[in-house]
Amino acid sequence: MLQSLASNSCVRLIQNHKSTWYFVSLILGYLLYLIFGAVVFSSVELPYEDQLRQELRAVKKQFLLENECLSEERLERFLKKALDASNYGVSILNNASANWNWDFTSSLFFASTVLSTTGYGHTAPLSDGGKAFCIIYSVIGIPFTLLFLTAVVQRIMVFSTRRPITYIHTRWGLSKQLVAIVHATLLGMLAVSCFFLIPAAIFSALEENWNFLESFYFCFISLSTIGLGDYVPGEAANQKFRELYKVGITVYLILGLIVMLVVLETFCELQQLKQLRKMFYLKKEKPQDRLAILEHDHLSFTTVSDNTGGKNEDKAKTFVSVPTLVSPNDDPMIQ
């Protein structure tokens, strides 16, 4: 008997706090996914890092043996200065000295990466004034970009998703959920083809040292706004039409970001995903529930008031019990 009562209470507790348990499971699942990613990246990349370290030590040792007049300390200072400059996008190589990082087209590309929060990191402001302006520019520009993207995506969604789904649903009488799933799948395939596969083929042809996988990797890292900065187009020394190429990449990033948001919004409007999201959300208090609570409080207050009024009347009857006199002869004192 006690076990059944305990089990029933546990089931009732879980049902009453279902969204909380779902949210806790979501947090645990996210932490496990982070740990899983760390384990995989560490196991895959650590051997390559160790191999690269050994190769660099061997090259450095061979260089010092061939140049005995150069001390290791002087070489370390030179390499540190060169690496610090490279972190700001400035290279000391002869074949890279012709490329400027802060001409107009490069600055336009940098501004687009800042406002879209892609941030490749291959170029950074050098001066204190540039760093201060970057902060102010980002504080104003990032919300402005979000407003711009939201307005554009909202208008595109009407013509790319809502009207076609409604038209097919009313014209052929198909299930609206089925039409939405097929439409989202086709739209996602079209976006992948036009903004990942085709641009990857173009980048692999224009960039000498990029294969198709590296080009596709750049497209995904850029349009997902991860922006690691390990692959940046238009930075080769012998890049033809570099200014026009940078402008084209800027347009590609803006259009690609808009298309990605349209696809994500299309998938988020699917009924199945809406129900999945509601599992982890706090339940909103419905107007009917509020009305029931107010009515319950009103009834409780009315009951208390009636009970209080009844008790007061009883007390008045107890202490003020005066008989009604019809004539003076009815008074017992007179009798």
Side-chain angles (χ1 to χ4, degrees), residues 1-11:
M1 184 66 181
L2 293 176
Q3 292 180 353
S4 62
L5 290 175
S7 61
N8 291 333
S9 62
C10 291
V11 171

Side-chain angles (χ1 to χ4, degrees), residues 24-315:
V24 172
S25 64
L26 178 66
I27 295 175
L28 294 177
Y30 188 76
L31 292 177
L32 290 176
Y33 194 72
L34 284 176
I35 296 172
F36 169 73
V39 171
V40 173
F41 283 127
S42 178
S43 60
V44 171
E45 295 296 330
L46 194 58
Y48 287 93
E49 181 185 358
D50 183 61
Q51 181 181 358
L52 183 59
R53 286 176 181 270
Q54 293 178 5
E55 291 176 357
L56 286 176
R57 291 193 189 100
V59 170
K60 178 183 174 183
K61 184 177 181 180
Q62 184 65 28
F63 181 81
L64 290 175
L65 290 176
E66 295 175 355
N67 300 272
E68 296 180 355
C69 60
L70 182 63
S71 64
E72 185 175 359
E73 291 76 11
R74 292 178 60 187
L75 179 62
E76 290 282 348
R77 289 197 299 268
F78 171 75
L79 291 177
K80 184 179 183 304
K81 194 167 185 179
L83 290 175
D84 290 341
S86 179
N87 291 333
Y88 286 98
V90 179
S91 177
I92 62 171
L93 300 177
N94 291 328
N95 57 359
S97 59
N99 296 335
W100 291 88
N101 294 322
W102 295 105
D103 55 2
F104 177 77
T105 54
S106 298
S107 300
L108 180 65
F109 178 70
F110 173 77
S112 67
T113 59
V114 169
L115 295 183
S116 62
T117 67
T118 304
Y120 291 111
H122 71 293
T123 303
L126 301 173
S127 62
D128 293 338
K131 295 174 184 177
F133 177 74
C134 184
I135 295 173
I136 300 172
Y137 185 73
S138 302
V139 168
I140 300 174
I142 292 176
F144 187 26
T145 303
L146 293 176
L147 176 62
F148 164 73
L149 293 176
T150 303
V152 172
V153 170
Q154 190 271 336
R155 281 164 172 76
I156 294 177
M157 284 289 295
V158 175
F159 299 98
S160 67
T161 299
R162 298 190 180 101
R163 286 188 180 179
I165 292 176
T166 305
Y167 175 79
I168 295 175
H169 170 65
T170 55
R171 181 66 182 271
W172 285 288
L174 298 176
S175 173
K176 198 169 186 178
Q177 295 183 3
L178 178 62
V179 174
I181 293 174
V182 175
H183 174 268
T185 304
L186 294 177
L187 186 63
M189 294 173 61
L190 182 63
V192 170
S193 300
C194 295
F195 288 89
F196 287 94
L197 297 177
I198 296 176
I202 294 174
F203 283 127
S204 61
L206 295 178
E207 299 290 333
E208 294 181 355
N209 299 324
W210 292 17
N211 56 30
F212 182 80
L213 177 60
E214 292 170 336
S215 301
F216 188 88
Y217 170 80
F218 163 76
C219 295
F220 177 79
I221 293 297
S222 300
L223 298 185
S224 60
T225 69
I226 298 174
L228 296 178
D230 48 350
Y231 289 92
V232 180
E235 297 298 320
N238 56 351
Q239 183 68 55
K240 297 180 180 179
F241 306 105
R242 185 172 183 269
E243 290 78 10
L244 183 62
Y245 189 33
K246 285 285 187 180
V247 173
I249 296 170
T250 302
V251 174
Y252 162 73
L253 291 177
I254 296 175
L255 292 179
L257 188 58
I258 292 173
V259 171
M260 290 302 103
L261 291 175
V262 170
V263 173
L264 288 176
E265 186 67 21
T266 301
F267 275 93
C268 287
E269 288 191 355
L270 294 178
Q271 193 65 31
Q272 291 80 0
L273 291 181
K274 287 182 179 180
Q275 294 176 357
L276 180 63
R277 293 200 308 270
K278 288 180 180 179
M279 292 172 57
F280 307 102
Y281 292 168
L282 286 174
K283 292 184 178 179
K284 295 182 179 180
E285 191 176 343
K286 298 180 180 180
Q288 294 86 352
D289 297 337
R290 295 181 183 177
L291 183 60
I293 293 173
L294 292 174
E295 290 179 352
H296 181 269
D297 293 341
H298 177 70
L299 291 174
S300 300
F301 177 76
T302 306
T303 304
V304 171
S305 301
D306 294 341
N307 293 335
T308 305
K311 290 179 180 179
N312 292 333
E313 290 178 359
D314 293 340
K315 290 180 180 180

